Amino acid sequence: MNLLQRQQLILMTRALYFDIENKWNELGREFNITPAQQHILFLLSTNNNELTPTKIGELGCWHNSTVTRLLNRLQEKKFIYVKTKRNELGFKVVSMTDKGRIILEQLMEKAKTMKKFPFDINHLSEKEVLLFLEYGNKILEEQKGLDFRKSVINAQVEGFDYA
């Protein structure tokens, strides 16, 4: 790949990311929750509602200090609770509260009704969308590994109707 193609890939990925972030922010404003906080609730919901802060950082692609800050805010809102395992000093486990589950369900239901969430792809055919996903998954799998793709990209919230 030549330098111009790499530049275009970087700029396209960055622009798509910011478009997604803007839509995610728009959705979150209605519920007073940031995109990162929403993502933590999603990660918990797709991982048996129990993750360590370290694992949240790995799956969310965040530094430990960022995870700590995000978890503190979610605890203040009573969307999560953090408990320490008794026989393991310093070993913490994060879980979603009922209030957290409810807000996540509301967010997902709202996103489902937004035709242009995370961005407008109505002009693409299903085949084009599937090709985009196929190529994106190949790149992501090389960068983050198959386990990451299975744990995050292919994850589904149990009991949620995706149709």
Side-chain angles (χ1 to χ4, degrees), residues 104-145:
L104 178 64
E105 288 172 12
Q106 290 173 338
L107 285 159
M108 291 182 68
E109 285 296 335
K110 177 69 177 191
K112 198 164 117 174
T113 67
M114 298 169 70
K115 298 292 183 205
K116 295 181 181 181
F117 183 83
F119 39 70
D120 187 0
I121 57 170
N122 290 323
H123 60 287
L124 299 176
S125 69
E126 184 174 348
K127 181 179 178 182
E128 289 169 323
V129 172
L130 291 173
L131 281 171
F132 178 82
L133 291 171
E134 178 184 340
Y135 297 142
N137 277 321
K138 281 184 177 183
I139 294 168
L140 186 62
E141 195 171 307
E142 182 65 30
Q143 301 305 307
K144 300 297 263 177

Side-chain angles (χ1 to χ4, degrees), residues 2-139:
N2 67 38
L3 183 59
L4 180 59
Q5 290 170 326
R6 290 190 309 215
Q7 174 184 305
Q8 289 172 339
L9 182 61
I10 290 167
L11 295 174
M12 178 189 63
T13 304
R14 185 175 187 278
L16 289 173
Y17 170 78
F18 282 107
D19 279 350
I20 292 169
E21 192 76 4
N22 286 336
K23 281 290 188 189
W24 217 356
N25 268 317
E26 180 183 317
L27 176 63
R29 273 192 296 278
E30 184 174 333
F31 297 93
N32 192 28
I33 185 169
T34 68
Q37 292 168 349
Q38 293 173 53
H39 193 56
I40 288 176
L41 296 180
F42 171 80
L43 292 172
L44 287 168
S45 71
T46 60
N47 286 277
N48 298 316
N49 196 29
E50 193 172 275
L51 288 171
T52 64
T54 301
K55 191 65 175 178
I56 290 171
E58 288 173 21
L59 296 176
C61 305
W62 295 300
H63 187 273
N64 288 341
S65 62
T66 302
V67 172
T68 299
R69 181 179 45 80
L70 291 167
L71 293 179
N72 287 340
R73 298 268 160 61
L74 286 167
Q75 274 187 291
E76 289 169 8
K77 294 177 180 184
K78 299 189 181 349
F79 291 158
I80 63 160
Y81 58 92
V82 181
K83 64 183 174 187
T84 303
K85 293 259 183 160
R86 287 187 186 196
N87 298 326
E88 302 176 42
L89 289 176
F91 186 79
K92 295 180 180 180
V93 176
V94 179
S95 297
M96 210 177 349
T97 64
D98 288 339
K99 186 176 179 182
R101 274 189 203 86
I102 290 168
I103 197 78
L104 178 64
E105 288 172 12
Q106 290 173 338
L107 285 159
M108 291 182 68
E109 285 296 335
K110 177 69 177 191
K112 198 164 117 174
T113 67
M114 298 169 70
K115 298 292 183 205
K116 295 181 181 181
F117 183 83
F119 39 70
D120 187 0
I121 57 170
N122 290 323
H123 60 287
L124 299 176
S125 69
E126 184 174 348
K127 181 179 178 182
E128 289 169 323
V129 172
L130 291 173
L131 281 171
F132 178 82
L133 291 171
E134 178 184 340
Y135 297 142
N137 277 321
K138 281 184 177 183
I139 294 168

